[in-house]
């Protein structure tokens, strides 16, 4: 009798897992606060009603089999963002000369693993090839270049992307537009041009504007909301907003939920797109505990607002974090440490999804 019952439980769980590889096969809510038997972050996110929990990854890391064993587990990560290989310098290094090799490797990986893809990104002032950054363009020339880049890039991955960060980091921190080559030559005309080209190239991909320091209320967030209102008023396709969420330990904005609700009220979905929480090194138990709370706060805020579709961390291990390179003396920003061991932050994410 005991063995029959055990078989039945096994069979039911197996069928559920086979029927829905992206969904949680068994509830982990029986183990609140303990990650010992939690099947993975994407599984708990799905069980909580979110579309995905995902991570960024980058091509050079894919030789590390200890790393890819975790990356490839779609119960842990149901969504992948390429950290670099779909950016302009990687995909159109010379005018009209497109290369998708690196991006295709990430696309193939996600497809193999049954993971959703977010495209990152079409138009950004950084990681631009010199021919764009220092080109001496007329308005019409640059609009044509933006349309061709976005259309070709998004078109190459047509039908394969959940969403694209079409516009990345268009604002200064005071809410004025960033004075990059795109703004200096076209004003804000490059924004609708890019969005329309992306829509035409892939009608099913959600089109996002992605930025940082827009997570809490303030001038920059207000400016982004105003842009979304204008785009909607003008009939320009805009589906979503990405909140990067590169935070410092103890520095998660207190107005996340209020701010997120304002975007929901505008009729767009949104996602946490690049979450990490850096600390001054060396790490201490107290900093790791605060980091756990900070990760939980972000998940709590996503859970509090239905328009939040999912959460992506900007790589999952400190081994490959961008933080120490960009902020000397800072690091340890991710939920797995440099030895691929889970940190308290991992539990913070699980609690955020489960504890309600
Ligand atoms: O490709 C060159 C390689 O040829 C060279 O040997 C090597 C030597 O340093 O540099 C390589 O380029 C690096 C590139 O990543 C690819 O690995 C750049 O130096 C490095 O600065 C660049 O950093 C990326 C950064 O964007 C650039 O701003 C990070 O990996 C990437 O994680 C980061 O991602 C951004 C998002 O796109 C937008 N939001 C912020 C986020 C963090 O900065």
């Amino acid at each position: 009798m005991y063995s029959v019952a055990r078989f039945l439980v096994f069979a039911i769980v197996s069928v559920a897992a086979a029927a829905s590889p992206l969904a949680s096969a068994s509830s982990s809510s029986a183990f609140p606060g303990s990650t010992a038997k939690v099947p993975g972050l994407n599984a708990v996110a799905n069980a909580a009603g979110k579309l995905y929990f995902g991570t960024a990854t980058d091509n050079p890391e894919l030789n590390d089999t200890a790393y890819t064993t975790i990356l490839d587990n779609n119960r842990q990560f149901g969504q992948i963002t390429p950290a670099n290989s779909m950016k302009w310098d990687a995909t159109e290094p010379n005018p009209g000369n497109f290369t998708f090799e690196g991006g295709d490797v990430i696309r193939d990986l996600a497809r193999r693993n049954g993971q959703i893809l977010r495209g990152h990104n079409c138009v950004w002032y950084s990681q631009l090839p010199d021919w764009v950054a220092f080109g001496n363009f007329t308005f019409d020339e640059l609009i044509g270049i933006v349309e061709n880049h976005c259309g070709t890039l998004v078109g190459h991955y047509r039908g394969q992307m959940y969403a694209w960060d079409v516009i990345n980091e268009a604002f200064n921190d005071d809410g004025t537009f960033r004075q990059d080559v795109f703004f200096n030559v076209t004003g804000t005309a490059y924004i609708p041009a890019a969005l329309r080209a992306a829509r035409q190239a892939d009608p099913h991909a959600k089109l996002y504007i992605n930025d940082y320091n827009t997570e809490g209320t303030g001038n920059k967030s207000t400016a982004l909301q105003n842009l979304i209102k204008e785009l909607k008023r003008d009939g320009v396709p805009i589906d979503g907003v990405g909140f990067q969420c590169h935070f410092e330990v103890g520095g998660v904005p207190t107005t996340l939920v209020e701010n997120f609700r304002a975007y929901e009220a505008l009729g767009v979905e949104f996602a946490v797109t690049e979450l990490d929480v850096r600390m001054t090194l060396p790490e201490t138990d107290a900093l790791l505990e605060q980091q756990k709370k900070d990760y939980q706060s972000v998940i709590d805020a996503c859970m509090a607002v239905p328009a939040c579709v999912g959460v992506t961390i900007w790589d999952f291990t400190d081994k490959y974090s961008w933080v120490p390179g960009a902020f000397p003396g800072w690091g340890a920003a991710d939920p797995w440490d440099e030895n691929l061991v889970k940190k308290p932050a991992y539990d913070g994410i699980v609690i955020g999804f489960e504890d309600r």
Side-chain angles (χ1 to χ4, degrees), residues 80-101:
I80 298 290
T81 306
N84 285 301
S85 53
M86 292 185 193
K87 290 174 178 173
W88 201 314
D89 60 352
T91 53
E92 194 186 4
N94 298 298
N97 183 356
F98 287 86
T99 60
F100 297 112
E101 280 167 44

Side-chain angles (χ1 to χ4, degrees), residues 14-355:
S14 301
V15 166
S20 178
L22 288 180
S24 150
S26 62
S27 169
S28 55
S29 57
F31 314 104
S34 160
T35 60
K37 297 189 179 176
V38 167
L41 300 178
N42 185 52
V44 289
N46 291 161
K50 297 300 175 186
L51 186 59
Y52 61 80
F53 186 93
T55 183
T57 190
D58 205 0
N59 297 62
E61 304 155 23
L62 303 178
N63 300 323
D64 177 345
T65 52
Y67 171 86
T68 55
T69 300
I70 301 170
L71 181 76
D72 289 343
N73 178 0
N74 70 25
R75 294 191 172 205
Q76 205 62 273
F77 304 114
Q79 177 275 325
I80 298 290
T81 306
N84 285 301
S85 53
M86 292 185 193
K87 290 174 178 173
W88 201 314
D89 60 352
T91 53
E92 194 186 4
N94 298 298
N97 183 356
F98 287 86
T99 60
F100 297 112
E101 280 167 44
D104 287 357
V105 168
I106 307 281
R107 184 268 321 271
D108 293 345
L109 170 154
R111 183 186 280 168
R112 236 180 6 254
N113 295 336
Q115 293 158 322
I116 293 168
L117 267 173
R118 295 191 82 259
H120 179 83
N121 56 55
C122 297
V123 184
W124 187 28
Y125 76 92
S126 181
Q127 288 174 285
L128 276 179
D130 287 353
W131 73 269
V132 181
F134 304 112
N136 199 9
F137 304 115
T138 65
F139 177 99
D140 287 346
E141 282 169 347
L142 190 53
I143 291 290
I145 286 166
V146 165
E147 288 173 342
N148 188 51
H149 181 75
C150 295
T152 307
L153 175 63
V154 174
H156 178 79
Y157 294 105
R158 183 184 173 103
Q160 300 162 56
M161 287 287 173
Y162 170 70
W164 268 101
D165 293 327
V166 178
I167 304 292
N168 198 41
E169 301 177 5
F171 290 98
N172 296 313
D173 279 348
D174 65 2
T176 57
F177 281 96
R178 187 186 293 277
Q179 296 187 314
D180 55 17
V181 61
F182 305 109
F183 182 79
N184 290 340
V185 176
T186 77
T188 57
Y190 76 93
I191 296 174
L195 288 162
R196 288 194 166 110
R199 175 65 92 230
Q200 198 177 356
D202 186 351
H204 299 297
K206 305 265 189 191
L207 307 183
Y208 272 59
I209 296 178
N210 189 49
D211 215 323
Y212 62 92
N213 289 350
T214 45
E215 298 89 354
T217 55
N219 289 345
K220 194 171 184 180
S221 178
T222 303
L224 177 53
Q225 289 170 48
N226 288 339
L227 172 62
I228 289 161
K229 285 179 201 163
E230 278 171 37
L231 293 170
K232 282 184 161 282
R233 184 197 63 205
D234 296 346
V236 178
I238 177 68
D239 304 307
V241 170
F243 297 105
Q244 294 188 5
C245 298
H246 294 293
F247 293 136
E248 294 178 4
V249 161
V252 175
T254 53
T255 54
L256 283 186
V257 172
E258 177 189 347
N259 189 55
F260 287 176
R261 285 195 176 128
Y263 287 85
E264 185 174 66
L266 292 180
V268 286
E269 66 173 48
F270 68 91
V272 171
T273 51
E274 306 186 12
L275 175 61
D276 51 25
V277 184
R278 60 185 177 267
M279 62 181 71
T280 50
L281 299 174
E283 59 190 56
T284 64
D285 287 348
L287 286 168
L288 290 168
E289 271 310 302
Q290 182 59 45
Q291 185 184 49
K292 172 184 174 180
K293 290 188 185 128
D294 293 335
Y295 269 93
Q296 185 186 339
S297 300
V298 177
I299 305 300
D300 283 344
C302 177
M303 287 302 297
V305 187
C308 181
V309 296
V311 175
T312 308
I313 47 179
W314 205 242
D315 224 322
F316 63 88
T317 163
D318 296 333
K319 189 172 181 181
Y320 298 120
S321 171
W322 69 289
V323 169
F327 300 95
W330 292 74
D334 292 331
W336 276 257
D337 72 12
E338 292 193 349
N339 299 313
L340 300 168
V341 174
K342 290 171 191 159
K343 292 154 59 174
Y346 184 97
D347 301 308
I349 297 168
V350 172
I351 295 165
F353 283 121
E354 287 195 335
D355 189 20

